[in-house]
Amino acid sequence: MCRQVHRDLSRVLGTSAPDDWMSVTAGERLEAELTPDVCIMPFRGETRHFIRGHIQLPVTLPEPDVFVWSVWVEVDETSMAAIAHTWSDPNRAASAPLSGRLATELPYEQPTRGLQITIYTRDPGMTPLLMISPSSHHQLADEQREGIALHRVAEFAELVQR
């Protein structure tokens, strides 16, 4: 058990672009669109679509709280069109969940990119909520389901700074 006192830890960690953003050329970036919530970019002759979402991990100790991974999810063109169609709709939270693949590598022993994600849109102004597939045998899925201690949040902050 960790006996350190952890103060002023960020409860949200993430990136400003999908990992593959760094793989495209400067010319391809000129043809791409990157906002805080959406990325559409050419990649090897295809157009790829990404949205930013939040994976929430319940913090169970020392008191209830939430830690958030702010990540990018790749979606297909049909899903992106559905998201765009309802983005400003005040009732968008009632939209059916969508599927995607995690497009951000997080600091876990097992790779996180490619994990199956269910996307739940929320009210306008709120970032979509992302759920790892319940059939995933990944530590991230376990932590989303079972929760983490505050010490784990401190570990994340240290790993992200490296």
Side-chain angles (χ1 to χ4, degrees), residues 1-2 6 9 11 57-63 65 67 143 146-156:
M1 180 172 169
C2 176
H6 300 289
L9 292 173
R11 296 298 197 271
L57 306 181
V59 176
T60 57
L61 296 170
E63 55 191 53
D65 199 354
F67 170 78
E143 289 177 343
E146 298 166 14
I148 59 174
L150 188 61
H151 177 75
R152 183 74 167 131
V153 176
E155 287 177 358
F156 291 149

Side-chain angles (χ1 to χ4, degrees), residues 9-137:
L9 292 173
S10 177
R11 296 298 197 271
V12 179
L13 294 174
T15 62
S16 59
D19 289 358
D20 286 336
W21 179 257
M22 300 310 293
S23 301
V24 298
T25 66
E28 288 171 319
R29 285 191 196 148
L30 289 174
E31 296 177 27
E33 175 183 353
L34 177 63
T35 73
D37 298 307
V38 172
C39 180
I40 300 171
M41 66 180 190
F43 186 78
R44 297 184 182 152
E46 295 181 22
T47 300
R48 297 178 65 193
H49 306 85
F50 303 87
I51 65 161
R52 188 175 61 87
H54 285 169
I55 298 172
Q56 295 182 343
L57 306 181
V59 176
T60 57
L61 296 170
E63 55 191 53
D65 199 354
V66 174
F67 170 78
V68 174
W69 283 118
S70 184
V71 297
W72 292 85
V73 176
E74 186 165 8
V75 296
D76 62 25
E77 188 173 357
T78 303
S79 295
M80 182 59 85
I83 291 165
H85 180 72
T86 61
W87 194 252
S88 298
D89 184 339
N91 296 317
R92 79 176 192 191
S95 300
L98 300 167
S99 293
R101 296 262 177 207
L102 191 58
T104 303
E105 193 61 58
L106 297 173
Y108 286 82
E109 285 185 29
Q110 296 173 283
T112 58
R113 286 183 61 179
L115 286 175
Q116 182 68 41
I117 300 286
T118 302
I119 305 160
Y120 296 90
T121 55
R122 299 192 277 184
D123 292 335
M126 294 186 72
T127 304
L129 180 63
L130 307 176
M131 300 299 291
I132 308 297
S133 171
S135 63
S136 174
H137 298 289

